[in-house]
């Protein structure tokens, strides 16, 4: 009967055991080391860290201070061209200006020319993503599905190459440097290739494969603010054209700050400039194309050397000095506390 069946022993159901395996690792029996913090180890760590940071910081600051740099602001000196550029109807009119300056001492070694922009915000979220990496790799993609809008296609459906707000706002002033002698004026030879990162030039940017660049970009149009198509950025050097143009590649690496500088040219060390830039009078001849007045911006040209630690930027050295000073000060504070507590302990023991 059912009552009799209820009193019979029933077979227990087996449940999987949750007990970990009996191994040294899973049973947490592996040998371990627990550091014993003593006053000697703590103080030596703070003082050694402070000494290291202070020495590195001082070296970095001295290195940054040894950089020779000349910065020329040409925003006001080219004010006539600036006013011309503010009117969009004058987009096809050329405007040139000159800025004179004097080098009192020679700038020896490799000299780099930068253009600097002030109050130009490249870190806006929609601006940063307004590009098509697939297009810049030379692939045939539908840019309307990218983040390039509204700089994707024209009203007639012609796609822009390159697309996006970053490419459309590319810096396009032309800057030439001249050395003024008493009897003649010599143009300083400048190198416009070899200025971009190797990874950008060889990995992140590629031109479409075709017989020539003009056919590779057939069926596309330049961005609205450009004067010429992308395959004519450098008509003198085929290897520095299209998406592989150094000026274009450098501009596409956006800055995190509103004030920044980008490498523009390098002084070619030949003839009179084999050792660098000699002291004397110089002139920048500028073809003014990039307007900055509407957003209250400023434009600079910077001539600078570099050292083993980089350019003239003492921030890293100052950061090391501050960190080293804080570690050293903490060490002295801990020492004072330790001595005070030890005196109290000796007093109570007596």
């Amino acid at each position: 009967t059912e009552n009799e069946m209820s009193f019979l022993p029933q077979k227990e159901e087996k449940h999987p055991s949750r007990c970990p395996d009996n191994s040294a690792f899973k049973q947490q029996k592996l040998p371990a080391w627990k550091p014993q913090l003593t006053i000697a180890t703590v103080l030596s760590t703070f003082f050694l860290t402070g000494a290291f940071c202070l020495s590195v910081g001082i070296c970095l600051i001295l290195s940054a201070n040894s950089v020779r740099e000349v910065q020329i602001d040409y925003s006001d000196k080219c004010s006539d061209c600036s006013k011309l550029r503010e009117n969009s109807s004058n987009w096809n009119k050329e405007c040139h200006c000159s800025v004179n300056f004097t080098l009192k001492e020679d700038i020896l070694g490799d000299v780099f020319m930068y253009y600097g922009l002030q109050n130009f915000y490249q870190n806006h979220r929609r601006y940063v993503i307004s590009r098509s990496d697939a297009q810049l790799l030379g692939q045939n993609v539908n840019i309307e599905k990218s983040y390039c809008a509204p700089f994707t296609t024209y009203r007639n459906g012609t796609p822009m190459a390159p697309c996006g707000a970053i490419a459309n706002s590319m810096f396009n002033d032309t800057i030439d440097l001249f050395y003024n002698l008493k009897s003649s004026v010599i143009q300083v030879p400048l190198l416009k290739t070899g200025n971009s990162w190797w990874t950008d030039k060889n990995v992140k940017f590629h031109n479409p494969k075709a017989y020539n660049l003009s056919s590779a970009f057939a069926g596309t149009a330049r961005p609205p603010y450009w004067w010429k198509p992308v395959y004519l950025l450098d008509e003198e050097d085929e290897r520095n054209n299209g998406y592989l143009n150094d000026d274009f590649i450098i501009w596409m690496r956006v800055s995190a700050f509103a004030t920044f500088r980008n490498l523009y040219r390098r002084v070619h060390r030949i003839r009179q400039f084999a050792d660098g830039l000699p002291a004397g009078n110089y002139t920048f001849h500028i073809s003014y194309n990039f307007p900055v007045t509407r957003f209250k911006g400023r434009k600079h040209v910077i001539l600078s050397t570099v050292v083993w630690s980089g350019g003239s930027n003492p921030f890293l050295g100052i950061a090391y000095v501050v960190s080293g000073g804080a570690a050293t000060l903490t060490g002295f504070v801990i020492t004072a506390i330790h001595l005070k507590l030890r005196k109290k302990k000796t007093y109570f023991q007596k």
Side-chain angles (χ1 to χ4, degrees), residues 58-87:
I58 292 173
C59 291
L60 289 174
I61 291 175
L62 293 176
S63 176
N65 290 337
S66 65
V67 174
R68 293 291 312 281
E69 181 175 298
V70 177
Q71 181 169 311
I72 308 296
D73 188 327
Y74 65 94
S75 304
D76 296 331
K77 296 179 180 180
C78 298
S79 57
D80 293 338
C81 290
S82 177
K83 294 177 182 178
L84 180 71
R85 284 286 166 260
E86 291 305 318
N87 189 349

PDB file of all heavy atoms in Angstrom, residues 58-87:
ATOM      1  N   ILE A  58      64.918  67.238 -12.521  1.00  0.00           N
ATOM      2  CA  ILE A  58      65.907  68.299 -12.750  1.00  0.00           C
ATOM      3  C   ILE A  58      66.563  68.123 -14.119  1.00  0.00           C
ATOM      4  O   ILE A  58      66.773  69.091 -14.859  1.00  0.00           O
ATOM      5  CB  ILE A  58      66.950  68.307 -11.622  1.00  0.00           C
ATOM      6  CG1 ILE A  58      66.286  68.760 -10.307  1.00  0.00           C
ATOM      7  CG2 ILE A  58      68.115  69.223 -11.961  1.00  0.00           C
ATOM      8  CD1 ILE A  58      67.192  68.640  -9.104  1.00  0.00           C
ATOM      9  N   CYS A  59      66.884  66.877 -14.473  1.00  0.00           N
ATOM     10  CA  CYS A  59      67.479  66.623 -15.795  1.00  0.00           C
ATOM     11  C   CYS A  59      66.520  67.015 -16.919  1.00  0.00           C
ATOM     12  O   CYS A  59      66.939  67.614 -17.923  1.00  0.00           O
ATOM     13  CB  CYS A  59      67.863  65.152 -15.912  1.00  0.00           C
ATOM     14  SG  CYS A  59      69.233  64.635 -14.863  1.00  0.00           S
ATOM     15  N   LEU A  60      65.247  66.703 -16.750  1.00  0.00           N
ATOM     16  CA  LEU A  60      64.263  67.042 -17.782  1.00  0.00           C
ATOM     17  C   LEU A  60      64.082  68.548 -17.913  1.00  0.00           C
ATOM     18  O   LEU A  60      63.964  69.082 -19.023  1.00  0.00           O
ATOM     19  CB  LEU A  60      62.923  66.376 -17.466  1.00  0.00           C
ATOM     20  CG  LEU A  60      62.853  64.863 -17.632  1.00  0.00           C
ATOM     21  CD1 LEU A  60      61.524  64.325 -17.141  1.00  0.00           C
ATOM     22  CD2 LEU A  60      63.062  64.467 -19.092  1.00  0.00           C
ATOM     23  N   ILE A  61      64.069  69.261 -16.787  1.00  0.00           N
ATOM     24  CA  ILE A  61      63.910  70.720 -16.837  1.00  0.00           C
ATOM     25  C   ILE A  61      65.115  71.366 -17.491  1.00  0.00           C
ATOM     26  O   ILE A  61      64.981  72.268 -18.338  1.00  0.00           O
ATOM     27  CB  ILE A  61      63.679  71.272 -15.419  1.00  0.00           C
ATOM     28  CG1 ILE A  61      62.305  70.832 -14.898  1.00  0.00           C
ATOM     29  CG2 ILE A  61      63.755  72.789 -15.408  1.00  0.00           C
ATOM     30  CD1 ILE A  61      62.041  71.227 -13.474  1.00  0.00           C
ATOM     31  N   LEU A  62      66.329  70.923 -17.126  1.00  0.00           N
ATOM     32  CA  LEU A  62      67.539  71.481 -17.742  1.00  0.00           C
ATOM     33  C   LEU A  62      67.572  71.180 -19.237  1.00  0.00           C
ATOM     34  O   LEU A  62      67.990  72.024 -20.037  1.00  0.00           O
ATOM     35  CB  LEU A  62      68.776  70.911 -17.054  1.00  0.00           C
ATOM     36  CG  LEU A  62      68.980  71.332 -15.590  1.00  0.00           C
ATOM     37  CD1 LEU A  62      70.193  70.620 -15.002  1.00  0.00           C
ATOM     38  CD2 LEU A  62      69.151  72.847 -15.476  1.00  0.00           C
ATOM     39  N   SER A  63      67.124  69.979 -19.605  1.00  0.00           N
ATOM     40  CA  SER A  63      67.098  69.629 -21.019  1.00  0.00           C
ATOM     41  C   SER A  63      66.101  70.488 -21.782  1.00  0.00           C
ATOM     42  O   SER A  63      66.387  70.970 -22.883  1.00  0.00           O
ATOM     43  CB  SER A  63      66.748  68.147 -21.164  1.00  0.00           C
ATOM     44  OG  SER A  63      66.618  67.793 -22.523  1.00  0.00           O
ATOM     45  N   ALA A  64      64.902  70.708 -21.197  1.00  0.00           N
ATOM     46  CA  ALA A  64      63.889  71.529 -21.878  1.00  0.00           C
ATOM     47  C   ALA A  64      64.344  72.975 -22.000  1.00  0.00           C
ATOM     48  O   ALA A  64      64.050  73.649 -23.002  1.00  0.00           O
ATOM     49  CB  ALA A  64      62.572  71.449 -21.118  1.00  0.00           C
ATOM     50  N   ASN A  65      65.077  73.477 -20.986  1.00  0.00           N
ATOM     51  CA  ASN A  65      65.547  74.866 -21.035  1.00  0.00           C
ATOM     52  C   ASN A  65      66.660  75.071 -22.056  1.00  0.00           C
ATOM     53  O   ASN A  65      66.933  76.209 -22.455  1.00  0.00           O
ATOM     54  CB  ASN A  65      66.025  75.307 -19.656  1.00  0.00           C
ATOM     55  CG  ASN A  65      64.880  75.454 -18.670  1.00  0.00           C
ATOM     56  OD1 ASN A  65      63.733  75.652 -19.062  1.00  0.00           O
ATOM     57  ND2 ASN A  65      65.180  75.346 -17.387  1.00  0.00           N
ATOM     58  N   SER A  66      67.308  73.977 -22.479  1.00  0.00           N
ATOM     59  CA  SER A  66      68.380  74.102 -23.469  1.00  0.00           C
ATOM     60  C   SER A  66      67.857  74.179 -24.903  1.00  0.00           C
ATOM     61  O   SER A  66      68.634  74.378 -25.833  1.00  0.00           O
ATOM     62  CB  SER A  66      69.344  72.920 -23.341  1.00  0.00           C
ATOM     63  OG  SER A  66      68.695  71.703 -23.662  1.00  0.00           O
ATOM     64  N   VAL A  67      66.547  74.009 -25.080  1.00  0.00           N
ATOM     65  CA  VAL A  67      65.953  74.083 -26.414  1.00  0.00           C
ATOM     66  C   VAL A  67      65.903  75.535 -26.872  1.00  0.00           C
ATOM     67  O   VAL A  67      65.460  76.422 -26.139  1.00  0.00           O
ATOM     68  CB  VAL A  67      64.543  73.466 -26.412  1.00  0.00           C
ATOM     69  CG1 VAL A  67      63.859  73.666 -27.757  1.00  0.00           C
ATOM     70  CG2 VAL A  67      64.611  71.992 -26.068  1.00  0.00           C
ATOM     71  N   ARG A  68      66.367  75.793 -28.086  1.00  0.00           N
ATOM     72  CA  ARG A  68      66.270  77.125 -28.682  1.00  0.00           C
ATOM     73  C   ARG A  68      64.950  77.221 -29.439  1.00  0.00           C
ATOM     74  O   ARG A  68      64.645  76.376 -30.275  1.00  0.00           O
ATOM     75  CB  ARG A  68      67.436  77.377 -29.636  1.00  0.00           C
ATOM     76  CG  ARG A  68      68.792  77.469 -28.966  1.00  0.00           C
ATOM     77  CD  ARG A  68      68.906  78.742 -28.128  1.00  0.00           C
ATOM     78  NE  ARG A  68      68.474  79.906 -28.870  1.00  0.00           N
ATOM     79  CZ  ARG A  68      69.229  80.538 -29.776  1.00  0.00           C
ATOM     80  NH1 ARG A  68      70.449  80.109 -30.058  1.00  0.00           N
ATOM     81  NH2 ARG A  68      68.776  81.615 -30.396  1.00  0.00           N
ATOM     82  N   GLU A  69      64.166  78.250 -29.146  1.00  0.00           N
ATOM     83  CA  GLU A  69      62.852  78.379 -29.766  1.00  0.00           C
ATOM     84  C   GLU A  69      62.540  79.838 -30.056  1.00  0.00           C
ATOM     85  O   GLU A  69      62.811  80.716 -29.233  1.00  0.00           O
ATOM     86  CB  GLU A  69      61.779  77.765 -28.850  1.00  0.00           C
ATOM     87  CG  GLU A  69      60.377  77.823 -29.428  1.00  0.00           C
ATOM     88  CD  GLU A  69      59.359  77.107 -28.560  1.00  0.00           C
ATOM     89  OE1 GLU A  69      59.515  75.882 -28.383  1.00  0.00           O
ATOM     90  OE2 GLU A  69      58.439  77.766 -28.048  1.00  0.00           O
ATOM     91  N   VAL A  70      61.984  80.081 -31.229  1.00  0.00           N
ATOM     92  CA  VAL A  70      61.521  81.408 -31.636  1.00  0.00           C
ATOM     93  C   VAL A  70      60.069  81.275 -32.061  1.00  0.00           C
ATOM     94  O   VAL A  70      59.731  80.438 -32.917  1.00  0.00           O
ATOM     95  CB  VAL A  70      62.369  81.975 -32.790  1.00  0.00           C
ATOM     96  CG1 VAL A  70      61.818  83.328 -33.232  1.00  0.00           C
ATOM     97  CG2 VAL A  70      63.822  82.110 -32.376  1.00  0.00           C
ATOM     98  N   GLN A  71      59.196  82.082 -31.467  1.00  0.00           N
ATOM     99  CA  GLN A  71      57.768  82.018 -31.768  1.00  0.00           C
ATOM    100  C   GLN A  71      57.294  83.370 -32.294  1.00  0.00           C
ATOM    101  O   GLN A  71      57.507  84.391 -31.659  1.00  0.00           O
ATOM    102  CB  GLN A  71      56.971  81.623 -30.524  1.00  0.00           C
ATOM    103  CG  GLN A  71      55.473  81.502 -30.769  1.00  0.00           C
ATOM    104  CD  GLN A  71      54.755  80.851 -29.604  1.00  0.00           C
ATOM    105  OE1 GLN A  71      55.168  79.806 -29.112  1.00  0.00           O
ATOM    106  NE2 GLN A  71      53.679  81.463 -29.143  1.00  0.00           N
ATOM    107  N   ILE A  72      56.673  83.348 -33.468  1.00  0.00           N
ATOM    108  CA  ILE A  72      56.202  84.562 -34.133  1.00  0.00           C
ATOM    109  C   ILE A  72      54.690  84.480 -34.282  1.00  0.00           C
ATOM    110  O   ILE A  72      54.159  83.549 -34.876  1.00  0.00           O
ATOM    111  CB  ILE A  72      56.861  84.745 -35.521  1.00  0.00           C
ATOM    112  CG1 ILE A  72      58.388  84.657 -35.420  1.00  0.00           C
ATOM    113  CG2 ILE A  72      56.422  86.059 -36.139  1.00  0.00           C
ATOM    114  CD1 ILE A  72      59.019  85.757 -34.605  1.00  0.00           C
ATOM    115  N   ASP A  73      53.984  85.467 -33.717  1.00  0.00           N
ATOM    116  CA  ASP A  73      52.531  85.571 -33.865  1.00  0.00           C
ATOM    117  C   ASP A  73      52.243  86.461 -35.073  1.00  0.00           C
ATOM    118  O   ASP A  73      52.613  87.632 -35.096  1.00  0.00           O
ATOM    119  CB  ASP A  73      51.919  86.169 -32.599  1.00  0.00           C
ATOM    120  CG  ASP A  73      50.389  86.118 -32.605  1.00  0.00           C
ATOM    121  OD1 ASP A  73      49.799  86.230 -33.696  1.00  0.00           O
ATOM    122  OD2 ASP A  73      49.802  85.984 -31.517  1.00  0.00           O
ATOM    123  N   TYR A  74      51.582  85.893 -36.085  1.00  0.00           N
ATOM    124  CA  TYR A  74      51.309  86.671 -37.295  1.00  0.00           C
ATOM    125  C   TYR A  74      49.823  86.964 -37.469  1.00  0.00           C
ATOM    126  O   TYR A  74      49.381  87.352 -38.557  1.00  0.00           O
ATOM    127  CB  TYR A  74      51.879  85.981 -38.539  1.00  0.00           C
ATOM    128  CG  TYR A  74      51.266  84.656 -38.915  1.00  0.00           C
ATOM    129  CD1 TYR A  74      50.219  84.576 -39.837  1.00  0.00           C
ATOM    130  CD2 TYR A  74      51.758  83.465 -38.391  1.00  0.00           C
ATOM    131  CE1 TYR A  74      49.680  83.361 -40.209  1.00  0.00           C
ATOM    132  CE2 TYR A  74      51.221  82.242 -38.757  1.00  0.00           C
ATOM    133  CZ  TYR A  74      50.183  82.195 -39.670  1.00  0.00           C
ATOM    134  OH  TYR A  74      49.651  80.990 -40.041  1.00  0.00           O
ATOM    135  N   SER A  75      49.045  86.816 -36.402  1.00  0.00           N
ATOM    136  CA  SER A  75      47.605  87.079 -36.505  1.00  0.00           C
ATOM    137  C   SER A  75      47.320  88.541 -36.792  1.00  0.00           C
ATOM    138  O   SER A  75      46.503  88.882 -37.665  1.00  0.00           O
ATOM    139  CB  SER A  75      46.911  86.654 -35.211  1.00  0.00           C
ATOM    140  OG  SER A  75      47.168  85.307 -34.906  1.00  0.00           O
ATOM    141  N   ASP A  76      47.997  89.447 -36.058  1.00  0.00           N
ATOM    142  CA  ASP A  76      47.767  90.877 -36.248  1.00  0.00           C
ATOM    143  C   ASP A  76      48.547  91.433 -37.436  1.00  0.00           C
ATOM    144  O   ASP A  76      48.078  92.351 -38.116  1.00  0.00           O
ATOM    145  CB  ASP A  76      48.150  91.634 -34.977  1.00  0.00           C
ATOM    146  CG  ASP A  76      47.277  91.251 -33.794  1.00  0.00           C
ATOM    147  OD1 ASP A  76      46.115  90.879 -34.018  1.00  0.00           O
ATOM    148  OD2 ASP A  76      47.780  91.300 -32.647  1.00  0.00           O
ATOM    149  N   LYS A  77      49.720  90.877 -37.677  1.00  0.00           N
ATOM    150  CA  LYS A  77      50.547  91.389 -38.774  1.00  0.00           C
ATOM    151  C   LYS A  77      49.954  91.049 -40.136  1.00  0.00           C
ATOM    152  O   LYS A  77      50.333  91.657 -41.136  1.00  0.00           O
ATOM    153  CB  LYS A  77      51.963  90.829 -38.641  1.00  0.00           C
ATOM    154  CG  LYS A  77      52.659  91.297 -37.359  1.00  0.00           C
ATOM    155  CD  LYS A  77      54.049  90.725 -37.223  1.00  0.00           C
ATOM    156  CE  LYS A  77      54.703  91.213 -35.937  1.00  0.00           C
ATOM    157  NZ  LYS A  77      56.068  90.676 -35.751  1.00  0.00           N
ATOM    158  N   CYS A  78      49.076  90.082 -40.176  1.00  0.00           N
ATOM    159  CA  CYS A  78      48.390  89.733 -41.420  1.00  0.00           C
ATOM    160  C   CYS A  78      46.895  90.049 -41.301  1.00  0.00           C
ATOM    161  O   CYS A  78      46.035  89.298 -41.793  1.00  0.00           O
ATOM    162  CB  CYS A  78      48.596  88.260 -41.746  1.00  0.00           C
ATOM    163  SG  CYS A  78      50.317  87.780 -42.027  1.00  0.00           S
ATOM    164  N   SER A  79      46.586  91.154 -40.629  1.00  0.00           N
ATOM    165  CA  SER A  79      45.184  91.495 -40.361  1.00  0.00           C
ATOM    166  C   SER A  79      44.402  91.783 -41.643  1.00  0.00           C
ATOM    167  O   SER A  79      43.202  91.492 -41.731  1.00  0.00           O
ATOM    168  CB  SER A  79      45.105  92.697 -39.421  1.00  0.00           C
ATOM    169  OG  SER A  79      45.795  93.811 -39.973  1.00  0.00           O
ATOM    170  N   ASP A  80      45.061  92.366 -42.642  1.00  0.00           N
ATOM    171  CA  ASP A  80      44.361  92.652 -43.900  1.00  0.00           C
ATOM    172  C   ASP A  80      43.898  91.357 -44.569  1.00  0.00           C
ATOM    173  O   ASP A  80      42.757  91.270 -45.064  1.00  0.00           O
ATOM    174  CB  ASP A  80      45.270  93.434 -44.849  1.00  0.00           C
ATOM    175  CG  ASP A  80      45.571  94.830 -44.323  1.00  0.00           C
ATOM    176  OD1 ASP A  80      44.777  95.324 -43.488  1.00  0.00           O
ATOM    177  OD2 ASP A  80      46.594  95.411 -44.729  1.00  0.00           O
ATOM    178  N   CYS A  81      44.771  90.367 -44.572  1.00  0.00           N
ATOM    179  CA  CYS A  81      44.394  89.078 -45.153  1.00  0.00           C
ATOM    180  C   CYS A  81      43.326  88.397 -44.306  1.00  0.00           C
ATOM    181  O   CYS A  81      42.434  87.711 -44.825  1.00  0.00           O
ATOM    182  CB  CYS A  81      45.619  88.179 -45.258  1.00  0.00           C
ATOM    183  SG  CYS A  81      46.824  88.711 -46.497  1.00  0.00           S
ATOM    184  N   SER A  82      43.400  88.605 -43.009  1.00  0.00           N
ATOM    185  CA  SER A  82      42.403  88.013 -42.126  1.00  0.00           C
ATOM    186  C   SER A  82      41.010  88.563 -42.423  1.00  0.00           C
ATOM    187  O   SER A  82      40.025  87.819 -42.465  1.00  0.00           O
ATOM    188  CB  SER A  82      42.783  88.262 -40.669  1.00  0.00           C
ATOM    189  OG  SER A  82      41.807  87.752 -39.794  1.00  0.00           O
ATOM    190  N   LYS A  83      40.920  89.874 -42.628  1.00  0.00           N
ATOM    191  CA  LYS A  83      39.629  90.468 -42.956  1.00  0.00           C
ATOM    192  C   LYS A  83      39.107  89.968 -44.297  1.00  0.00           C
ATOM    193  O   LYS A  83      37.902  89.761 -44.471  1.00  0.00           O
ATOM    194  CB  LYS A  83      39.754  91.991 -42.982  1.00  0.00           C
ATOM    195  CG  LYS A  83      40.069  92.609 -41.614  1.00  0.00           C
ATOM    196  CD  LYS A  83      40.261  94.104 -41.727  1.00  0.00           C
ATOM    197  CE  LYS A  83      40.611  94.715 -40.368  1.00  0.00           C
ATOM    198  NZ  LYS A  83      40.857  96.180 -40.467  1.00  0.00           N
ATOM    199  N   LEU A  84      40.023  89.768 -45.243  1.00  0.00           N
ATOM    200  CA  LEU A  84      39.624  89.257 -46.551  1.00  0.00           C
ATOM    201  C   LEU A  84      39.065  87.837 -46.439  1.00  0.00           C
ATOM    202  O   LEU A  84      38.046  87.500 -47.055  1.00  0.00           O
ATOM    203  CB  LEU A  84      40.816  89.276 -47.506  1.00  0.00           C
ATOM    204  CG  LEU A  84      40.550  88.773 -48.933  1.00  0.00           C
ATOM    205  CD1 LEU A  84      39.693  89.778 -49.692  1.00  0.00           C
ATOM    206  CD2 LEU A  84      41.863  88.526 -49.669  1.00  0.00           C
ATOM    207  N   ARG A  85      39.676  87.031 -45.613  1.00  0.00           N
ATOM    208  CA  ARG A  85      39.269  85.628 -45.477  1.00  0.00           C
ATOM    209  C   ARG A  85      37.952  85.469 -44.713  1.00  0.00           C
ATOM    210  O   ARG A  85      37.264  84.463 -44.846  1.00  0.00           O
ATOM    211  CB  ARG A  85      40.366  84.829 -44.772  1.00  0.00           C
ATOM    212  CG  ARG A  85      41.537  84.520 -45.674  1.00  0.00           C
ATOM    213  CD  ARG A  85      41.173  83.440 -46.670  1.00  0.00           C
ATOM    214  NE  ARG A  85      42.173  83.363 -47.744  1.00  0.00           N
ATOM    215  CZ  ARG A  85      42.029  83.899 -48.934  1.00  0.00           C
ATOM    216  NH1 ARG A  85      40.909  84.548 -49.232  1.00  0.00           N
ATOM    217  NH2 ARG A  85      42.960  83.786 -49.843  1.00  0.00           N
ATOM    218  N   GLU A  86      37.594  86.447 -43.904  1.00  0.00           N
ATOM    219  CA  GLU A  86      36.348  86.340 -43.149  1.00  0.00           C
ATOM    220  C   GLU A  86      35.129  86.399 -44.056  1.00  0.00           C
ATOM    221  O   GLU A  86      34.055  85.919 -43.695  1.00  0.00           O
ATOM    222  CB  GLU A  86      36.269  87.462 -42.105  1.00  0.00           C
ATOM    223  CG  GLU A  86      37.262  87.311 -40.969  1.00  0.00           C
ATOM    224  CD  GLU A  86      37.160  85.974 -40.276  1.00  0.00           C
ATOM    225  OE1 GLU A  86      36.030  85.516 -40.036  1.00  0.00           O
ATOM    226  OE2 GLU A  86      38.198  85.369 -39.978  1.00  0.00           O
ATOM    227  N   ASN A  87      35.270  86.968 -45.238  1.00  0.00           N
ATOM    228  CA  ASN A  87      34.188  87.011 -46.213  1.00  0.00           C
ATOM    229  C   ASN A  87      34.299  85.771 -47.098  1.00  0.00           C
ATOM    230  O   ASN A  87      35.261  85.609 -47.849  1.00  0.00           O
ATOM    231  CB  ASN A  87      34.281  88.284 -47.051  1.00  0.00           C
ATOM    232  CG  ASN A  87      33.056  88.474 -47.935  1.00  0.00           C
ATOM    233  OD1 ASN A  87      32.232  87.576 -48.091  1.00  0.00           O
ATOM    234  ND2 ASN A  87      32.934  89.662 -48.517  1.00  0.00           N
TER     235      ASN A  87
END
